[in-house]
Amino acid sequence: MKIGILGAGNVGVALGEALSKAGHAVRYGMRTPSKRPDDGLSFAQAVAFAETVVVSLPYSAMEEVLTPLPLKGRLLIDTTNPMGWEDGSPVHTPPEAGSSGEQVAALTGARVVKGFNTFGAEHCAGAPIEERPIDVMLASDDGEALTVVSSLCDDLGLRPINVGPLHQARATEQLAVLWVQLAIVGGLGRNIAFSLVRGG
């Protein structure tokens, strides 16, 4: 699959490298494509290249970058988390739409799947922790898009978990806040991730 990743920060690059190793064609959309001379494109070129678009931008830049792009009807994965800090702890700072995922859908008209936002960049490659798979919480109103993104998770060795319609992106963004609290503020370190366990 051809995948265009908008943004070349830690998460975007880690996810792109993992997808590339899994056999997908990956290019990055950037303000300055020359910073990645082999695979860097402009944002518009990356969208034109892609069958699936991944938004991995700083949340503060999202509206400016996405608004002019032709994304209506496109399959789009939103990995961003609107987050701030209060008294030394991270807090969810959702937009009026309720979540970044819902905001992206409203801005673009794309078929949005929220995902890859509840763990650190180093876990995009899917290596299990203590022999347990890392879960990717996926929220979407589009069943076909959800199936495609679930398949990408499988390719990476991650376990896709359907958490429901796109408004549940709010819950996954809160989970991302909890991850930051535990990993960074709480001192557990970045080598933690969420993995559901089903009892007998």
Side-chain angles (χ1 to χ4, degrees), residues 16-42:
E17 289 178 349
L19 288 166
S20 181
K21 287 178 182 177
H24 299 282
V26 175
R27 303 291 295 275
Y28 299 90
M30 307 167 59
R31 293 187 190 277
T32 311
S34 60
K35 289 184 178 179
R36 293 189 67 93
D38 294 330
D39 53 17
L41 302 172
S42 70

PDB file of all heavy atoms in Angstrom, residues 16-42:
ATOM      1  N   GLY A  16       6.408   5.217   9.987  1.00  0.00           N
ATOM      2  CA  GLY A  16       6.779   5.059   8.584  1.00  0.00           C
ATOM      3  C   GLY A  16       7.830   3.989   8.378  1.00  0.00           C
ATOM      4  O   GLY A  16       7.736   3.173   7.454  1.00  0.00           O
ATOM      5  N   GLU A  17       8.844   3.975   9.230  1.00  0.00           N
ATOM      6  CA  GLU A  17       9.900   2.958   9.100  1.00  0.00           C
ATOM      7  C   GLU A  17       9.347   1.561   9.345  1.00  0.00           C
ATOM      8  O   GLU A  17       9.721   0.608   8.646  1.00  0.00           O
ATOM      9  CB  GLU A  17      11.036   3.280  10.070  1.00  0.00           C
ATOM     10  CG  GLU A  17      11.832   4.512   9.653  1.00  0.00           C
ATOM     11  CD  GLU A  17      12.933   4.870  10.637  1.00  0.00           C
ATOM     12  OE1 GLU A  17      12.945   4.277  11.753  1.00  0.00           O
ATOM     13  OE2 GLU A  17      13.765   5.728  10.301  1.00  0.00           O
ATOM     14  N   ALA A  18       8.445   1.435  10.311  1.00  0.00           N
ATOM     15  CA  ALA A  18       7.850   0.122  10.590  1.00  0.00           C
ATOM     16  C   ALA A  18       6.992  -0.340   9.415  1.00  0.00           C
ATOM     17  O   ALA A  18       7.037  -1.513   9.016  1.00  0.00           O
ATOM     18  CB  ALA A  18       7.023   0.188  11.870  1.00  0.00           C
ATOM     19  N   LEU A  19       6.207   0.574   8.854  1.00  0.00           N
ATOM     20  CA  LEU A  19       5.363   0.222   7.712  1.00  0.00           C
ATOM     21  C   LEU A  19       6.204  -0.127   6.488  1.00  0.00           C
ATOM     22  O   LEU A  19       5.879  -1.043   5.728  1.00  0.00           O
ATOM     23  CB  LEU A  19       4.415   1.374   7.394  1.00  0.00           C
ATOM     24  CG  LEU A  19       3.284   1.591   8.404  1.00  0.00           C
ATOM     25  CD1 LEU A  19       2.625   2.944   8.189  1.00  0.00           C
ATOM     26  CD2 LEU A  19       2.243   0.483   8.293  1.00  0.00           C
ATOM     27  N   SER A  20       7.298   0.601   6.299  1.00  0.00           N
ATOM     28  CA  SER A  20       8.192   0.308   5.179  1.00  0.00           C
ATOM     29  C   SER A  20       8.803  -1.085   5.318  1.00  0.00           C
ATOM     30  O   SER A  20       8.851  -1.861   4.353  1.00  0.00           O
ATOM     31  CB  SER A  20       9.287   1.376   5.111  1.00  0.00           C
ATOM     32  OG  SER A  20      10.153   1.134   4.024  1.00  0.00           O
ATOM     33  N   LYS A  21       9.232  -1.434   6.520  1.00  0.00           N
ATOM     34  CA  LYS A  21       9.794  -2.773   6.761  1.00  0.00           C
ATOM     35  C   LYS A  21       8.753  -3.860   6.535  1.00  0.00           C
ATOM     36  O   LYS A  21       9.088  -5.002   6.193  1.00  0.00           O
ATOM     37  CB  LYS A  21      10.351  -2.857   8.176  1.00  0.00           C
ATOM     38  CG  LYS A  21      11.644  -2.087   8.370  1.00  0.00           C
ATOM     39  CD  LYS A  21      12.139  -2.171   9.808  1.00  0.00           C
ATOM     40  CE  LYS A  21      13.409  -1.360  10.002  1.00  0.00           C
ATOM     41  NZ  LYS A  21      13.876  -1.367  11.410  1.00  0.00           N
ATOM     42  N   ALA A  22       7.475  -3.506   6.732  1.00  0.00           N
ATOM     43  CA  ALA A  22       6.392  -4.468   6.518  1.00  0.00           C
ATOM     44  C   ALA A  22       5.994  -4.575   5.047  1.00  0.00           C
ATOM     45  O   ALA A  22       5.071  -5.319   4.706  1.00  0.00           O
ATOM     46  CB  ALA A  22       5.177  -4.083   7.360  1.00  0.00           C
ATOM     47  N   GLY A  23       6.670  -3.815   4.170  1.00  0.00           N
ATOM     48  CA  GLY A  23       6.438  -3.957   2.733  1.00  0.00           C
ATOM     49  C   GLY A  23       5.614  -2.864   2.088  1.00  0.00           C
ATOM     50  O   GLY A  23       5.312  -2.942   0.896  1.00  0.00           O
ATOM     51  N   HIS A  24       5.270  -1.827   2.831  1.00  0.00           N
ATOM     52  CA  HIS A  24       4.480  -0.737   2.279  1.00  0.00           C
ATOM     53  C   HIS A  24       5.383   0.369   1.733  1.00  0.00           C
ATOM     54  O   HIS A  24       6.516   0.545   2.201  1.00  0.00           O
ATOM     55  CB  HIS A  24       3.543  -0.176   3.350  1.00  0.00           C
ATOM     56  CG  HIS A  24       2.573  -1.187   3.866  1.00  0.00           C
ATOM     57  ND1 HIS A  24       1.439  -1.550   3.169  1.00  0.00           N
ATOM     58  CD2 HIS A  24       2.587  -1.945   5.003  1.00  0.00           C
ATOM     59  CE1 HIS A  24       0.781  -2.475   3.851  1.00  0.00           C
ATOM     60  NE2 HIS A  24       1.453  -2.733   4.970  1.00  0.00           N
ATOM     61  N   ALA A  25       4.889   1.084   0.741  1.00  0.00           N
ATOM     62  CA  ALA A  25       5.622   2.221   0.171  1.00  0.00           C
ATOM     63  C   ALA A  25       5.253   3.469   0.965  1.00  0.00           C
ATOM     64  O   ALA A  25       4.084   3.842   1.022  1.00  0.00           O
ATOM     65  CB  ALA A  25       5.257   2.407  -1.300  1.00  0.00           C
ATOM     66  N   VAL A  26       6.252   4.102   1.575  1.00  0.00           N
ATOM     67  CA  VAL A  26       6.008   5.216   2.489  1.00  0.00           C
ATOM     68  C   VAL A  26       6.748   6.460   2.013  1.00  0.00           C
ATOM     69  O   VAL A  26       7.930   6.396   1.663  1.00  0.00           O
ATOM     70  CB  VAL A  26       6.470   4.871   3.925  1.00  0.00           C
ATOM     71  CG1 VAL A  26       6.318   6.073   4.849  1.00  0.00           C
ATOM     72  CG2 VAL A  26       5.680   3.680   4.462  1.00  0.00           C
ATOM     73  N   ARG A  27       6.040   7.590   2.000  1.00  0.00           N
ATOM     74  CA  ARG A  27       6.659   8.898   1.746  1.00  0.00           C
ATOM     75  C   ARG A  27       6.151   9.869   2.806  1.00  0.00           C
ATOM     76  O   ARG A  27       5.048   9.710   3.320  1.00  0.00           O
ATOM     77  CB  ARG A  27       6.318   9.421   0.346  1.00  0.00           C
ATOM     78  CG  ARG A  27       6.696   8.500  -0.792  1.00  0.00           C
ATOM     79  CD  ARG A  27       8.195   8.363  -0.990  1.00  0.00           C
ATOM     80  NE  ARG A  27       8.856   9.582  -1.391  1.00  0.00           N
ATOM     81  CZ  ARG A  27       8.959   9.999  -2.646  1.00  0.00           C
ATOM     82  NH1 ARG A  27       8.402   9.291  -3.631  1.00  0.00           N
ATOM     83  NH2 ARG A  27       9.605  11.104  -2.930  1.00  0.00           N
ATOM     84  N   TYR A  28       6.956  10.877   3.090  1.00  0.00           N
ATOM     85  CA  TYR A  28       6.632  11.838   4.140  1.00  0.00           C
ATOM     86  C   TYR A  28       6.282  13.197   3.539  1.00  0.00           C
ATOM     87  O   TYR A  28       7.011  13.704   2.680  1.00  0.00           O
ATOM     88  CB  TYR A  28       7.815  12.016   5.100  1.00  0.00           C
ATOM     89  CG  TYR A  28       8.203  10.756   5.811  1.00  0.00           C
ATOM     90  CD1 TYR A  28       9.154   9.888   5.270  1.00  0.00           C
ATOM     91  CD2 TYR A  28       7.620  10.400   7.026  1.00  0.00           C
ATOM     92  CE1 TYR A  28       9.515   8.716   5.922  1.00  0.00           C
ATOM     93  CE2 TYR A  28       7.964   9.229   7.682  1.00  0.00           C
ATOM     94  CZ  TYR A  28       8.912   8.396   7.122  1.00  0.00           C
ATOM     95  OH  TYR A  28       9.257   7.222   7.760  1.00  0.00           O
ATOM     96  N   GLY A  29       5.190  13.776   4.002  1.00  0.00           N
ATOM     97  CA  GLY A  29       4.833  15.137   3.635  1.00  0.00           C
ATOM     98  C   GLY A  29       5.393  16.099   4.663  1.00  0.00           C
ATOM     99  O   GLY A  29       5.187  15.910   5.869  1.00  0.00           O
ATOM    100  N   MET A  30       6.103  17.131   4.189  1.00  0.00           N
ATOM    101  CA  MET A  30       6.830  18.010   5.097  1.00  0.00           C
ATOM    102  C   MET A  30       6.809  19.445   4.573  1.00  0.00           C
ATOM    103  O   MET A  30       6.632  19.680   3.370  1.00  0.00           O
ATOM    104  CB  MET A  30       8.290  17.548   5.210  1.00  0.00           C
ATOM    105  CG  MET A  30       8.477  16.091   5.566  1.00  0.00           C
ATOM    106  SD  MET A  30      10.191  15.554   5.315  1.00  0.00           S
ATOM    107  CE  MET A  30      11.059  16.661   6.411  1.00  0.00           C
ATOM    108  N   ARG A  31       7.026  20.384   5.486  1.00  0.00           N
ATOM    109  CA  ARG A  31       7.199  21.779   5.064  1.00  0.00           C
ATOM    110  C   ARG A  31       8.486  21.935   4.262  1.00  0.00           C
ATOM    111  O   ARG A  31       8.564  22.731   3.332  1.00  0.00           O
ATOM    112  CB  ARG A  31       7.235  22.707   6.275  1.00  0.00           C
ATOM    113  CG  ARG A  31       5.936  22.811   7.045  1.00  0.00           C
ATOM    114  CD  ARG A  31       6.043  23.874   8.120  1.00  0.00           C
ATOM    115  NE  ARG A  31       4.897  23.838   9.018  1.00  0.00           N
ATOM    116  CZ  ARG A  31       3.734  24.423   8.771  1.00  0.00           C
ATOM    117  NH1 ARG A  31       3.566  25.092   7.643  1.00  0.00           N
ATOM    118  NH2 ARG A  31       2.747  24.348   9.650  1.00  0.00           N
ATOM    119  N   THR A  32       9.525  21.178   4.653  1.00  0.00           N
ATOM    120  CA  THR A  32      10.833  21.270   3.990  1.00  0.00           C
ATOM    121  C   THR A  32      11.249  19.871   3.525  1.00  0.00           C
ATOM    122  O   THR A  32      11.987  19.162   4.222  1.00  0.00           O
ATOM    123  CB  THR A  32      11.895  21.840   4.964  1.00  0.00           C
ATOM    124  OG1 THR A  32      11.388  23.023   5.580  1.00  0.00           O
ATOM    125  CG2 THR A  32      13.178  22.187   4.220  1.00  0.00           C
ATOM    126  N   PRO A  33      10.760  19.439   2.352  1.00  0.00           N
ATOM    127  CA  PRO A  33      11.031  18.071   1.893  1.00  0.00           C
ATOM    128  C   PRO A  33      12.510  17.742   1.759  1.00  0.00           C
ATOM    129  O   PRO A  33      12.903  16.582   1.867  1.00  0.00           O
ATOM    130  CB  PRO A  33      10.326  18.018   0.527  1.00  0.00           C
ATOM    131  CG  PRO A  33       9.278  19.075   0.607  1.00  0.00           C
ATOM    132  CD  PRO A  33       9.854  20.161   1.453  1.00  0.00           C
ATOM    133  N   SER A  34      13.358  18.759   1.552  1.00  0.00           N
ATOM    134  CA  SER A  34      14.789  18.498   1.358  1.00  0.00           C
ATOM    135  C   SER A  34      15.447  17.925   2.607  1.00  0.00           C
ATOM    136  O   SER A  34      16.550  17.375   2.538  1.00  0.00           O
ATOM    137  CB  SER A  34      15.503  19.787   0.954  1.00  0.00           C
ATOM    138  OG  SER A  34      15.353  20.789   1.945  1.00  0.00           O
ATOM    139  N   LYS A  35      14.782  18.017   3.757  1.00  0.00           N
ATOM    140  CA  LYS A  35      15.338  17.429   4.973  1.00  0.00           C
ATOM    141  C   LYS A  35      15.349  15.901   4.905  1.00  0.00           C
ATOM    142  O   LYS A  35      16.079  15.256   5.649  1.00  0.00           O
ATOM    143  CB  LYS A  35      14.546  17.894   6.195  1.00  0.00           C
ATOM    144  CG  LYS A  35      14.778  19.361   6.540  1.00  0.00           C
ATOM    145  CD  LYS A  35      14.039  19.746   7.811  1.00  0.00           C
ATOM    146  CE  LYS A  35      14.307  21.194   8.184  1.00  0.00           C
ATOM    147  NZ  LYS A  35      13.579  21.598   9.419  1.00  0.00           N
ATOM    148  N   ARG A  36      14.501  15.330   4.033  1.00  0.00           N
ATOM    149  CA  ARG A  36      14.515  13.885   3.781  1.00  0.00           C
ATOM    150  C   ARG A  36      14.594  13.706   2.277  1.00  0.00           C
ATOM    151  O   ARG A  36      13.585  13.439   1.611  1.00  0.00           O
ATOM    152  CB  ARG A  36      13.267  13.209   4.351  1.00  0.00           C
ATOM    153  CG  ARG A  36      13.195  13.239   5.878  1.00  0.00           C
ATOM    154  CD  ARG A  36      12.058  12.374   6.391  1.00  0.00           C
ATOM    155  NE  ARG A  36      12.294  10.969   6.138  1.00  0.00           N
ATOM    156  CZ  ARG A  36      12.869  10.127   7.010  1.00  0.00           C
ATOM    157  NH1 ARG A  36      13.258  10.560   8.184  1.00  0.00           N
ATOM    158  NH2 ARG A  36      13.041   8.866   6.699  1.00  0.00           N
ATOM    159  N   PRO A  37      15.777  13.865   1.686  1.00  0.00           N
ATOM    160  CA  PRO A  37      15.890  13.909   0.225  1.00  0.00           C
ATOM    161  C   PRO A  37      15.420  12.652  -0.489  1.00  0.00           C
ATOM    162  O   PRO A  37      15.028  12.712  -1.650  1.00  0.00           O
ATOM    163  CB  PRO A  37      17.389  14.153  -0.006  1.00  0.00           C
ATOM    164  CG  PRO A  37      18.052  13.777   1.273  1.00  0.00           C
ATOM    165  CD  PRO A  37      17.068  14.056   2.358  1.00  0.00           C
ATOM    166  N   ASP A  38      15.434  11.500   0.182  1.00  0.00           N
ATOM    167  CA  ASP A  38      15.047  10.257  -0.490  1.00  0.00           C
ATOM    168  C   ASP A  38      13.548   9.998  -0.463  1.00  0.00           C
ATOM    169  O   ASP A  38      13.017   9.336  -1.355  1.00  0.00           O
ATOM    170  CB  ASP A  38      15.767   9.060   0.144  1.00  0.00           C
ATOM    171  CG  ASP A  38      17.269   9.118  -0.073  1.00  0.00           C
ATOM    172  OD1 ASP A  38      17.689   9.676  -1.097  1.00  0.00           O
ATOM    173  OD2 ASP A  38      18.012   8.629   0.797  1.00  0.00           O
ATOM    174  N   ASP A  39      12.860  10.486   0.572  1.00  0.00           N
ATOM    175  CA  ASP A  39      11.442  10.156   0.693  1.00  0.00           C
ATOM    176  C   ASP A  39      10.582  11.329   1.147  1.00  0.00           C
ATOM    177  O   ASP A  39       9.448  11.151   1.543  1.00  0.00           O
ATOM    178  CB  ASP A  39      11.243   8.969   1.648  1.00  0.00           C
ATOM    179  CG  ASP A  39      11.914   9.180   3.002  1.00  0.00           C
ATOM    180  OD1 ASP A  39      12.251  10.333   3.332  1.00  0.00           O
ATOM    181  OD2 ASP A  39      12.112   8.187   3.728  1.00  0.00           O
ATOM    182  N   GLY A  40      11.113  12.542   1.086  1.00  0.00           N
ATOM    183  CA  GLY A  40      10.357  13.715   1.505  1.00  0.00           C
ATOM    184  C   GLY A  40       9.628  14.383   0.352  1.00  0.00           C
ATOM    185  O   GLY A  40      10.181  14.566  -0.737  1.00  0.00           O
ATOM    186  N   LEU A  41       8.376  14.712   0.575  1.00  0.00           N
ATOM    187  CA  LEU A  41       7.549  15.406  -0.397  1.00  0.00           C
ATOM    188  C   LEU A  41       6.895  16.600   0.300  1.00  0.00           C
ATOM    189  O   LEU A  41       6.944  16.728   1.523  1.00  0.00           O
ATOM    190  CB  LEU A  41       6.447  14.486  -0.930  1.00  0.00           C
ATOM    191  CG  LEU A  41       6.861  13.181  -1.610  1.00  0.00           C
ATOM    192  CD1 LEU A  41       5.633  12.314  -1.882  1.00  0.00           C
ATOM    193  CD2 LEU A  41       7.598  13.469  -2.918  1.00  0.00           C
ATOM    194  N   SER A  42       6.269  17.459  -0.488  1.00  0.00           N
ATOM    195  CA  SER A  42       5.417  18.473   0.121  1.00  0.00           C
ATOM    196  C   SER A  42       4.172  17.781   0.670  1.00  0.00           C
ATOM    197  O   SER A  42       3.881  16.625   0.346  1.00  0.00           O
ATOM    198  CB  SER A  42       5.016  19.523  -0.917  1.00  0.00           C
ATOM    199  OG  SER A  42       4.121  18.953  -1.860  1.00  0.00           O
TER     200      SER A  42
END
